[in-house]
Amino acid sequence: MSGGVPRASNRARRILRGPRAEAVPALIGRACALVGLLDIAAGVFPRFRHSRMHAIAEALPGSFGPFAAALSLSAGVLLLLLAHGLKRRKRRAWRAAVVLLPAGAVAEFVYRHSLLGVLISVALLVPLLRHRTEFGALPDPRSRWRALANFVLMSAGSLVLGLVIVSVHPDRTLGDPSLADRLTHVVYGLFGFEGPVDYQGSTSWTVAFSLGALGWLTAVTTSYLAFRPEHPAARLTEEDEARLRDLLDRHGRRDSLGHFALRRDKAVVFSPSGKAAVTYRVVSGVMLASGDPIGDVEAWPGAIERFMDEAKAHSWTPAVMGCSETGGEVWTRETGLDALELGDEAVVDVADFSLAGRAMRNVRQMVKRIERAGYETRVRRVRDLSDGELERVRLAAEDWRGTDNERGFSMALGRIGDPADGDCLIATAHKQDDTPGPYGDLKAVLHFVPWGEDGVSLDLMRRDRLADPGMNELLIVAALQAAPKLGIARISLNFAMFRSALARGEKIGAGPVLRAWRGLLVFLSRWFQIESLYKFNAKFQPRWEPRFVVYRASADLPRIGFAAMQAEGFVDLALPLPRFLRRRRNAAARPCAHRSHEHGVRAA
């Protein structure tokens, strides 16, 4: 590090060649999707002319034709499902495609008597076998929810495709069945029963076999996804957590987000020396790291290399959310990835903070007004709270959460009051009422995690909705004023996304592009706390520390953004449990010191 920027290692140069190496699997995946569509068309639509091979095919048993149509249809649907896995170099997708392509070719020959269909399948099979070493990616973490998604999508697709199958034989259909009759015939056929639509000759068998094949595919693929052995979700083991805490004890002062690596729903890779680590979670095929690597900067490249190896082994898209400028430089240098400024972190130096002066007038007046209303504050380490009070704080934070699902990933710890987190800081606001609520006089909570020995980083802000406005300002000021007695020299507040664009866009002389970008961010602030967090942080006159997202290619940014929104809790693809069941589950988890209590977001 101190000797300048060294040349990229051999491994880094191999990583840099990644996009070109991925061109072959991507091309084969697209070709597989095309062959799948051709197989579906071959199985759905009847022959348009009397082919030369018809005389040979007529010598085969009569059931071969309907069976071949169903086989062609099944192979086509499965090849479509496998195309995405082939693009991601999945080994299991390659094995299945090698089996399905010959099956589809045989079906094309028997049912459509098409030599061209056979040649197309063989033409794809040859490069698939030739480049078999490209398809070595391991499976992704598994979720039972994929079975439900597969059932819904396959059922809808089967209904649509079934209507096409039922309707493409007008010359052999008896009578004039209505749309309701055809739809009923499809539903019956998917379950293997005869429907109200009748056909002449063997067409009835062809339609029945094809519909039965669609129903069979829906049932088999859903059952496979539901009952296959589930890969364990990302979890820090006790040993991993102990190693990370040791690294944070020695190097935790470097990054304000370091302590958030201890979220227990993350996985971790360590450098070969064990002196650095990268924590991550896999979301929708994106391997999301957060903040800078933990540990000695000199050992960061080793941990980053392990991270990239893991991403390559599973064909995950690597990405880093919220790394510092130093972290971004190391990531881009070692991997060839790109970095984009994501926003700024607000950091207040305790020695420089004061409520005096015109700039702090609004905060000063708000704090004094709330104090006159009878509120008082307490700022303590978690270890200094009694068990009863800590339990009240934990229950209140859960009850006052503004969303059904817990938010936070890169800047949230996800728990309060764990015995291992005794150095965390809790600021609470209290007011005596004539009719105390379920949590006594507690009205608001702020939770901070350690940032080295002399700093803390804001984790969550929660308040009673019936309390007076300004609780967050009151508690941040209380924390800043109590900081010197607690040995705290700096406090990291919220992260303000696209802060520089908002700040520059409102200044005199800002160009039309910058003003339009700021206008879009203000518009999006109706749903996401973009402008409001920036203005809230700016009240305390902080210094701004830029944070970056590291990514492989610009085309990956939408996917990374969606995965980050899932990880942060803004998008929830799973069906949520009822609130009373979530409380019951959380209550059952609390007695165990090494279970996540699932609390906390850093944003208000």
Side-chain angles (χ1 to χ4, degrees), residues 48 55 156 167 185 222 297 434 478 480 535 541:
F48 297 107
S167 305
H185 192 87
T222 301
V297 176
D434 295 335
L480 286 165
K535 290 185 175 180
Q541 303 298 306

Side-chain angles (χ1 to χ4, degrees), residues 18-41:
R20 270 182 277 175
E22 292 177 357
V24 171
L27 183 61
I28 290 177
R30 296 188 187 99
C32 180
L34 177 60
V35 173
L37 290 173
L38 292 176
D39 284 348
I40 291 174

Side-chain angles (χ1 to χ4, degrees), residues 428-443:
T428 54
H430 304 262
K431 182 182 180 182
Q432 295 292 338
D433 292 328
D434 295 335
T435 56
Y439 310 111
D441 62 352
L442 183 64
K443 300 300 179 184

Side-chain angles (χ1 to χ4, degrees), residues 493-517:
L493 300 180
N494 290 302
F495 171 76
M497 185 173 288
F498 305 121
R499 195 274 317 174
S500 58
L502 289 169
R504 293 198 302 267
E506 63 184 355
K507 291 183 178 179
I508 297 177
V513 175
L514 189 57
R515 288 186 178 275
W517 175 225

Side-chain angles (χ1 to χ4, degrees), residues 355-370:
L355 284 176
R358 184 179 182 84
M360 298 298 296
R361 178 182 177 184
N362 290 337
V363 175
R364 183 173 62 249
Q365 291 178 343
M366 178 174 290
V367 169
K368 290 186 178 298
R369 177 179 58 80
I370 296 174

Side-chain angles (χ1 to χ4, degrees), residues 21-73:
E22 292 177 357
V24 171
L27 183 61
I28 290 177
R30 296 188 187 99
C32 180
L34 177 60
V35 173
L37 290 173
L38 292 176
D39 284 348
I40 291 174
V44 169
F45 297 101
R47 294 189 298 274
F48 297 107
R49 62 185 179 84
H50 192 84
S51 68
R52 295 180 180 180
M53 299 301 300
H54 182 71
I56 299 176
E58 288 295 320
L60 299 172
S63 61
F64 270 44
F67 175 78
L71 178 60
S72 179
L73 181 64

